[in-house]
Amino acid sequence: MQEADLPLSYSVYLVIGLGGALGAIARYVLSTWIYQKYFYTFPWGTFVVNMLGCFALGIVYVLGVENLVTSPNTRLFISVGFLGAFTTFSTLSLETLNLIKSGEIIVAVLNGLGSMLVGLIAVWLGMSLTQLLIK
């Protein structure tokens, strides 16, 4: 059963909302810590959060969708709720646009393309490692 097949109920909204609240808090804590510890022109906080989210989504996909190890509500909690709020594509887009506006074109391109490329690799790594571990 895919998430789209689940009936919408208050429990589904609660599961997604709780995951989203925790994911947003985790994103704020981790990205703030990275920015305080490693302040550079490049937006490392958002980049790291997005790559960790991509890696984790690869794991959740293999466990939850390909192998049905987790329940539909658990998948919704983690993938739609927690990781949906944890990853920050809208923040990535805003930071990249602000870099362009401030004349940091090379850094903006590195941020946008780097996030996309490394994100794809992170999802693939998460899926591949999980598939190896559960065999």
PDB file of all heavy atoms in Angstrom, residues 81-112:
ATOM      1  N   GLY A  81       6.332  13.665   7.353  1.00  0.00           N
ATOM      2  CA  GLY A  81       6.377  14.567   8.498  1.00  0.00           C
ATOM      3  C   GLY A  81       7.788  15.034   8.826  1.00  0.00           C
ATOM      4  O   GLY A  81       8.172  16.164   8.534  1.00  0.00           O
ATOM      5  N   PHE A  82       8.581  14.132   9.425  1.00  0.00           N
ATOM      6  CA  PHE A  82       9.897  14.513   9.920  1.00  0.00           C
ATOM      7  C   PHE A  82      10.821  15.001   8.808  1.00  0.00           C
ATOM      8  O   PHE A  82      11.335  16.112   8.868  1.00  0.00           O
ATOM      9  CB  PHE A  82      10.554  13.347  10.679  1.00  0.00           C
ATOM     10  CG  PHE A  82      11.848  13.729  11.336  1.00  0.00           C
ATOM     11  CD1 PHE A  82      11.854  14.272  12.610  1.00  0.00           C
ATOM     12  CD2 PHE A  82      13.052  13.574  10.678  1.00  0.00           C
ATOM     13  CE1 PHE A  82      13.034  14.653  13.214  1.00  0.00           C
ATOM     14  CE2 PHE A  82      14.250  13.947  11.272  1.00  0.00           C
ATOM     15  CZ  PHE A  82      14.241  14.491  12.545  1.00  0.00           C
ATOM     16  N   LEU A  83      11.026  14.167   7.788  1.00  0.00           N
ATOM     17  CA  LEU A  83      11.975  14.551   6.733  1.00  0.00           C
ATOM     18  C   LEU A  83      11.435  15.673   5.857  1.00  0.00           C
ATOM     19  O   LEU A  83      12.211  16.481   5.342  1.00  0.00           O
ATOM     20  CB  LEU A  83      12.357  13.331   5.892  1.00  0.00           C
ATOM     21  CG  LEU A  83      13.178  12.279   6.638  1.00  0.00           C
ATOM     22  CD1 LEU A  83      13.395  11.057   5.763  1.00  0.00           C
ATOM     23  CD2 LEU A  83      14.503  12.855   7.122  1.00  0.00           C
ATOM     24  N   GLY A  84      10.111  15.735   5.701  1.00  0.00           N
ATOM     25  CA  GLY A  84       9.523  16.841   4.943  1.00  0.00           C
ATOM     26  C   GLY A  84       9.795  18.185   5.592  1.00  0.00           C
ATOM     27  O   GLY A  84      10.036  19.184   4.915  1.00  0.00           O
ATOM     28  N   ALA A  85       9.772  18.222   6.914  1.00  0.00           N
ATOM     29  CA  ALA A  85      10.065  19.466   7.628  1.00  0.00           C
ATOM     30  C   ALA A  85      11.561  19.643   7.866  1.00  0.00           C
ATOM     31  O   ALA A  85      12.051  20.759   7.973  1.00  0.00           O
ATOM     32  CB  ALA A  85       9.326  19.484   8.969  1.00  0.00           C
ATOM     33  N   PHE A  86      12.285  18.542   7.965  1.00  0.00           N
ATOM     34  CA  PHE A  86      13.732  18.596   8.235  1.00  0.00           C
ATOM     35  C   PHE A  86      14.510  19.116   7.040  1.00  0.00           C
ATOM     36  O   PHE A  86      15.384  19.950   7.175  1.00  0.00           O
ATOM     37  CB  PHE A  86      14.224  17.199   8.619  1.00  0.00           C
ATOM     38  CG  PHE A  86      15.688  17.138   8.968  1.00  0.00           C
ATOM     39  CD1 PHE A  86      16.145  17.670  10.159  1.00  0.00           C
ATOM     40  CD2 PHE A  86      16.587  16.528   8.119  1.00  0.00           C
ATOM     41  CE1 PHE A  86      17.492  17.613  10.484  1.00  0.00           C
ATOM     42  CE2 PHE A  86      17.931  16.455   8.435  1.00  0.00           C
ATOM     43  CZ  PHE A  86      18.388  17.001   9.628  1.00  0.00           C
ATOM     44  N   THR A  87      14.191  18.624   5.857  1.00  0.00           N
ATOM     45  CA  THR A  87      14.892  19.106   4.669  1.00  0.00           C
ATOM     46  C   THR A  87      14.349  20.474   4.292  1.00  0.00           C
ATOM     47  O   THR A  87      13.217  20.804   4.581  1.00  0.00           O
ATOM     48  CB  THR A  87      14.757  18.119   3.497  1.00  0.00           C
ATOM     49  OG1 THR A  87      13.380  17.920   3.219  1.00  0.00           O
ATOM     50  CG2 THR A  87      15.423  16.813   3.807  1.00  0.00           C
ATOM     51  N   THR A  88      15.153  21.239   3.636  1.00  0.00           N
ATOM     52  CA  THR A  88      14.846  22.659   3.504  1.00  0.00           C
ATOM     53  C   THR A  88      15.035  23.160   2.079  1.00  0.00           C
ATOM     54  O   THR A  88      15.789  24.096   1.854  1.00  0.00           O
ATOM     55  CB  THR A  88      15.757  23.456   4.454  1.00  0.00           C
ATOM     56  OG1 THR A  88      17.113  23.099   4.149  1.00  0.00           O
ATOM     57  CG2 THR A  88      15.471  23.163   5.897  1.00  0.00           C
ATOM     58  N   PHE A  89      14.343  22.556   1.152  1.00  0.00           N
ATOM     59  CA  PHE A  89      14.524  22.978  -0.231  1.00  0.00           C
ATOM     60  C   PHE A  89      14.130  24.438  -0.441  1.00  0.00           C
ATOM     61  O   PHE A  89      14.792  25.154  -1.197  1.00  0.00           O
ATOM     62  CB  PHE A  89      13.744  22.072  -1.182  1.00  0.00           C
ATOM     63  CG  PHE A  89      14.120  22.304  -2.616  1.00  0.00           C
ATOM     64  CD1 PHE A  89      15.300  21.793  -3.125  1.00  0.00           C
ATOM     65  CD2 PHE A  89      13.317  23.054  -3.442  1.00  0.00           C
ATOM     66  CE1 PHE A  89      15.661  22.024  -4.439  1.00  0.00           C
ATOM     67  CE2 PHE A  89      13.678  23.293  -4.762  1.00  0.00           C
ATOM     68  CZ  PHE A  89      14.844  22.770  -5.257  1.00  0.00           C
ATOM     69  N   SER A  90      13.077  24.883   0.224  1.00  0.00           N
ATOM     70  CA  SER A  90      12.689  26.286   0.065  1.00  0.00           C
ATOM     71  C   SER A  90      13.764  27.208   0.622  1.00  0.00           C
ATOM     72  O   SER A  90      14.059  28.257   0.037  1.00  0.00           O
ATOM     73  CB  SER A  90      11.343  26.558   0.747  1.00  0.00           C
ATOM     74  OG  SER A  90      11.400  26.223   2.118  1.00  0.00           O
ATOM     75  N   THR A  91      14.383  26.821   1.722  1.00  0.00           N
ATOM     76  CA  THR A  91      15.487  27.615   2.277  1.00  0.00           C
ATOM     77  C   THR A  91      16.672  27.590   1.339  1.00  0.00           C
ATOM     78  O   THR A  91      17.323  28.610   1.107  1.00  0.00           O
ATOM     79  CB  THR A  91      15.889  27.083   3.663  1.00  0.00           C
ATOM     80  OG1 THR A  91      14.736  27.077   4.504  1.00  0.00           O
ATOM     81  CG2 THR A  91      16.965  27.947   4.291  1.00  0.00           C
ATOM     82  N   LEU A  92      16.964  26.420   0.776  1.00  0.00           N
ATOM     83  CA  LEU A  92      18.041  26.302  -0.209  1.00  0.00           C
ATOM     84  C   LEU A  92      17.801  27.267  -1.366  1.00  0.00           C
ATOM     85  O   LEU A  92      18.706  27.981  -1.795  1.00  0.00           O
ATOM     86  CB  LEU A  92      18.111  24.862  -0.735  1.00  0.00           C
ATOM     87  CG  LEU A  92      18.939  24.643  -2.005  1.00  0.00           C
ATOM     88  CD1 LEU A  92      20.417  24.759  -1.702  1.00  0.00           C
ATOM     89  CD2 LEU A  92      18.604  23.311  -2.624  1.00  0.00           C
ATOM     90  N   SER A  93      16.590  27.304  -1.866  1.00  0.00           N
ATOM     91  CA  SER A  93      16.268  28.189  -2.990  1.00  0.00           C
ATOM     92  C   SER A  93      16.430  29.658  -2.617  1.00  0.00           C
ATOM     93  O   SER A  93      16.995  30.442  -3.388  1.00  0.00           O
ATOM     94  CB  SER A  93      14.831  27.922  -3.459  1.00  0.00           C
ATOM     95  OG  SER A  93      14.702  26.598  -3.878  1.00  0.00           O
ATOM     96  N   LEU A  94      15.945  30.035  -1.447  1.00  0.00           N
ATOM     97  CA  LEU A  94      16.071  31.424  -0.993  1.00  0.00           C
ATOM     98  C   LEU A  94      17.534  31.810  -0.808  1.00  0.00           C
ATOM     99  O   LEU A  94      17.968  32.876  -1.258  1.00  0.00           O
ATOM    100  CB  LEU A  94      15.306  31.632   0.315  1.00  0.00           C
ATOM    101  CG  LEU A  94      15.423  33.024   0.932  1.00  0.00           C
ATOM    102  CD1 LEU A  94      14.817  34.079   0.006  1.00  0.00           C
ATOM    103  CD2 LEU A  94      14.747  33.045   2.288  1.00  0.00           C
ATOM    104  N   GLU A  95      18.314  30.948  -0.153  1.00  0.00           N
ATOM    105  CA  GLU A  95      19.730  31.255   0.052  1.00  0.00           C
ATOM    106  C   GLU A  95      20.471  31.358  -1.274  1.00  0.00           C
ATOM    107  O   GLU A  95      21.325  32.241  -1.450  1.00  0.00           O
ATOM    108  CB  GLU A  95      20.374  30.193   0.944  1.00  0.00           C
ATOM    109  CG  GLU A  95      19.934  30.279   2.378  1.00  0.00           C
ATOM    110  CD  GLU A  95      20.453  29.160   3.244  1.00  0.00           C
ATOM    111  OE1 GLU A  95      20.906  28.123   2.706  1.00  0.00           O
ATOM    112  OE2 GLU A  95      20.398  29.319   4.470  1.00  0.00           O
ATOM    113  N   THR A  96      20.141  30.504  -2.220  1.00  0.00           N
ATOM    114  CA  THR A  96      20.788  30.554  -3.534  1.00  0.00           C
ATOM    115  C   THR A  96      20.426  31.846  -4.256  1.00  0.00           C
ATOM    116  O   THR A  96      21.299  32.512  -4.838  1.00  0.00           O
ATOM    117  CB  THR A  96      20.396  29.317  -4.366  1.00  0.00           C
ATOM    118  OG1 THR A  96      20.773  28.138  -3.647  1.00  0.00           O
ATOM    119  CG2 THR A  96      21.081  29.322  -5.716  1.00  0.00           C
ATOM    120  N   LEU A  97      19.161  32.234  -4.206  1.00  0.00           N
ATOM    121  CA  LEU A  97      18.749  33.493  -4.828  1.00  0.00           C
ATOM    122  C   LEU A  97      19.437  34.686  -4.164  1.00  0.00           C
ATOM    123  O   LEU A  97      19.902  35.602  -4.852  1.00  0.00           O
ATOM    124  CB  LEU A  97      17.230  33.653  -4.752  1.00  0.00           C
ATOM    125  CG  LEU A  97      16.677  34.924  -5.402  1.00  0.00           C
ATOM    126  CD1 LEU A  97      17.020  34.975  -6.887  1.00  0.00           C
ATOM    127  CD2 LEU A  97      15.184  35.004  -5.192  1.00  0.00           C
ATOM    128  N   ASN A  98      19.538  34.667  -2.850  1.00  0.00           N
ATOM    129  CA  ASN A  98      20.217  35.760  -2.145  1.00  0.00           C
ATOM    130  C   ASN A  98      21.701  35.817  -2.492  1.00  0.00           C
ATOM    131  O   ASN A  98      22.274  36.904  -2.577  1.00  0.00           O
ATOM    132  CB  ASN A  98      20.011  35.644  -0.636  1.00  0.00           C
ATOM    133  CG  ASN A  98      18.620  36.067  -0.226  1.00  0.00           C
ATOM    134  OD1 ASN A  98      17.946  36.812  -0.937  1.00  0.00           O
ATOM    135  ND2 ASN A  98      18.174  35.581   0.914  1.00  0.00           N
ATOM    136  N   LEU A  99      22.322  34.661  -2.700  1.00  0.00           N
ATOM    137  CA  LEU A  99      23.713  34.649  -3.149  1.00  0.00           C
ATOM    138  C   LEU A  99      23.835  35.283  -4.534  1.00  0.00           C
ATOM    139  O   LEU A  99      24.768  36.051  -4.793  1.00  0.00           O
ATOM    140  CB  LEU A  99      24.257  33.212  -3.166  1.00  0.00           C
ATOM    141  CG  LEU A  99      24.546  32.588  -1.813  1.00  0.00           C
ATOM    142  CD1 LEU A  99      24.781  31.084  -1.953  1.00  0.00           C
ATOM    143  CD2 LEU A  99      25.739  33.263  -1.153  1.00  0.00           C
ATOM    144  N   ILE A 100      22.902  34.976  -5.417  1.00  0.00           N
ATOM    145  CA  ILE A 100      22.903  35.575  -6.759  1.00  0.00           C
ATOM    146  C   ILE A 100      22.739  37.088  -6.651  1.00  0.00           C
ATOM    147  O   ILE A 100      23.475  37.854  -7.278  1.00  0.00           O
ATOM    148  CB  ILE A 100      21.794  34.956  -7.635  1.00  0.00           C
ATOM    149  CG1 ILE A 100      22.124  33.499  -7.945  1.00  0.00           C
ATOM    150  CG2 ILE A 100      21.590  35.766  -8.915  1.00  0.00           C
ATOM    151  CD1 ILE A 100      20.979  32.714  -8.565  1.00  0.00           C
ATOM    152  N   LYS A 101      21.777  37.522  -5.841  1.00  0.00           N
ATOM    153  CA  LYS A 101      21.526  38.958  -5.670  1.00  0.00           C
ATOM    154  C   LYS A 101      22.735  39.694  -5.109  1.00  0.00           C
ATOM    155  O   LYS A 101      22.963  40.853  -5.437  1.00  0.00           O
ATOM    156  CB  LYS A 101      20.323  39.191  -4.755  1.00  0.00           C
ATOM    157  CG  LYS A 101      18.991  38.900  -5.396  1.00  0.00           C
ATOM    158  CD  LYS A 101      17.878  39.200  -4.412  1.00  0.00           C
ATOM    159  CE  LYS A 101      16.524  39.059  -5.035  1.00  0.00           C
ATOM    160  NZ  LYS A 101      15.439  39.388  -4.086  1.00  0.00           N
ATOM    161  N   SER A 102      23.509  39.003  -4.257  1.00  0.00           N
ATOM    162  CA  SER A 102      24.679  39.654  -3.664  1.00  0.00           C
ATOM    163  C   SER A 102      25.922  39.522  -4.533  1.00  0.00           C
ATOM    164  O   SER A 102      27.012  39.908  -4.136  1.00  0.00           O
ATOM    165  CB  SER A 102      24.953  39.096  -2.265  1.00  0.00           C
ATOM    166  OG  SER A 102      25.365  37.750  -2.348  1.00  0.00           O
ATOM    167  N   GLY A 103      25.746  38.964  -5.736  1.00  0.00           N
ATOM    168  CA  GLY A 103      26.851  38.874  -6.668  1.00  0.00           C
ATOM    169  C   GLY A 103      27.718  37.642  -6.496  1.00  0.00           C
ATOM    170  O   GLY A 103      28.732  37.498  -7.170  1.00  0.00           O
ATOM    171  N   GLU A 104      27.351  36.741  -5.626  1.00  0.00           N
ATOM    172  CA  GLU A 104      28.112  35.508  -5.378  1.00  0.00           C
ATOM    173  C   GLU A 104      27.631  34.404  -6.329  1.00  0.00           C
ATOM    174  O   GLU A 104      27.142  33.363  -5.896  1.00  0.00           O
ATOM    175  CB  GLU A 104      27.944  35.071  -3.916  1.00  0.00           C
ATOM    176  CG  GLU A 104      28.459  36.050  -2.903  1.00  0.00           C
ATOM    177  CD  GLU A 104      29.963  36.058  -2.832  1.00  0.00           C
ATOM    178  OE1 GLU A 104      30.607  35.074  -3.286  1.00  0.00           O
ATOM    179  OE2 GLU A 104      30.517  37.045  -2.335  1.00  0.00           O
ATOM    180  N   ILE A 105      27.792  34.639  -7.607  1.00  0.00           N
ATOM    181  CA  ILE A 105      27.242  33.745  -8.626  1.00  0.00           C
ATOM    182  C   ILE A 105      27.861  32.353  -8.538  1.00  0.00           C
ATOM    183  O   ILE A 105      27.138  31.346  -8.598  1.00  0.00           O
ATOM    184  CB  ILE A 105      27.446  34.336 -10.045  1.00  0.00           C
ATOM    185  CG1 ILE A 105      26.865  35.746 -10.149  1.00  0.00           C
ATOM    186  CG2 ILE A 105      26.874  33.403 -11.108  1.00  0.00           C
ATOM    187  CD1 ILE A 105      25.385  35.842  -9.864  1.00  0.00           C
ATOM    188  N   ILE A 106      29.167  32.267  -8.407  1.00  0.00           N
ATOM    189  CA  ILE A 106      29.834  30.957  -8.358  1.00  0.00           C
ATOM    190  C   ILE A 106      29.378  30.171  -7.136  1.00  0.00           C
ATOM    191  O   ILE A 106      29.064  28.981  -7.224  1.00  0.00           O
ATOM    192  CB  ILE A 106      31.371  31.113  -8.389  1.00  0.00           C
ATOM    193  CG1 ILE A 106      31.788  31.668  -9.759  1.00  0.00           C
ATOM    194  CG2 ILE A 106      32.068  29.795  -8.088  1.00  0.00           C
ATOM    195  CD1 ILE A 106      33.235  32.034  -9.879  1.00  0.00           C
ATOM    196  N   VAL A 107      29.301  30.829  -5.981  1.00  0.00           N
ATOM    197  CA  VAL A 107      28.850  30.162  -4.763  1.00  0.00           C
ATOM    198  C   VAL A 107      27.387  29.724  -4.920  1.00  0.00           C
ATOM    199  O   VAL A 107      27.007  28.629  -4.495  1.00  0.00           O
ATOM    200  CB  VAL A 107      29.024  31.063  -3.522  1.00  0.00           C
ATOM    201  CG1 VAL A 107      28.446  30.417  -2.275  1.00  0.00           C
ATOM    202  CG2 VAL A 107      30.492  31.399  -3.309  1.00  0.00           C
ATOM    203  N   ALA A 108      26.570  30.547  -5.562  1.00  0.00           N
ATOM    204  CA  ALA A 108      25.163  30.202  -5.786  1.00  0.00           C
ATOM    205  C   ALA A 108      25.042  28.960  -6.668  1.00  0.00           C
ATOM    206  O   ALA A 108      24.249  28.057  -6.367  1.00  0.00           O
ATOM    207  CB  ALA A 108      24.429  31.382  -6.431  1.00  0.00           C
ATOM    208  N   VAL A 109      25.810  28.908  -7.734  1.00  0.00           N
ATOM    209  CA  VAL A 109      25.769  27.759  -8.632  1.00  0.00           C
ATOM    210  C   VAL A 109      26.266  26.508  -7.909  1.00  0.00           C
ATOM    211  O   VAL A 109      25.655  25.434  -8.003  1.00  0.00           O
ATOM    212  CB  VAL A 109      26.592  28.024  -9.916  1.00  0.00           C
ATOM    213  CG1 VAL A 109      26.778  26.760 -10.736  1.00  0.00           C
ATOM    214  CG2 VAL A 109      25.911  29.104 -10.751  1.00  0.00           C
ATOM    215  N   LEU A 110      27.362  26.645  -7.151  1.00  0.00           N
ATOM    216  CA  LEU A 110      27.867  25.512  -6.382  1.00  0.00           C
ATOM    217  C   LEU A 110      26.829  25.027  -5.377  1.00  0.00           C
ATOM    218  O   LEU A 110      26.643  23.821  -5.185  1.00  0.00           O
ATOM    219  CB  LEU A 110      29.157  25.889  -5.652  1.00  0.00           C
ATOM    220  CG  LEU A 110      30.398  26.041  -6.516  1.00  0.00           C
ATOM    221  CD1 LEU A 110      31.556  26.590  -5.683  1.00  0.00           C
ATOM    222  CD2 LEU A 110      30.776  24.712  -7.145  1.00  0.00           C
ATOM    223  N   ASN A 111      26.146  25.942  -4.726  1.00  0.00           N
ATOM    224  CA  ASN A 111      25.125  25.579  -3.743  1.00  0.00           C
ATOM    225  C   ASN A 111      23.962  24.844  -4.406  1.00  0.00           C
ATOM    226  O   ASN A 111      23.550  23.777  -3.957  1.00  0.00           O
ATOM    227  CB  ASN A 111      24.628  26.827  -3.015  1.00  0.00           C
ATOM    228  CG  ASN A 111      23.764  26.491  -1.831  1.00  0.00           C
ATOM    229  OD1 ASN A 111      24.023  25.545  -1.091  1.00  0.00           O
ATOM    230  ND2 ASN A 111      22.723  27.275  -1.633  1.00  0.00           N
ATOM    231  N   GLY A 112      23.425  25.388  -5.480  1.00  0.00           N
ATOM    232  CA  GLY A 112      22.282  24.773  -6.154  1.00  0.00           C
ATOM    233  C   GLY A 112      22.628  23.432  -6.788  1.00  0.00           C
ATOM    234  O   GLY A 112      21.977  22.418  -6.518  1.00  0.00           O
TER     235      GLY A 112
END
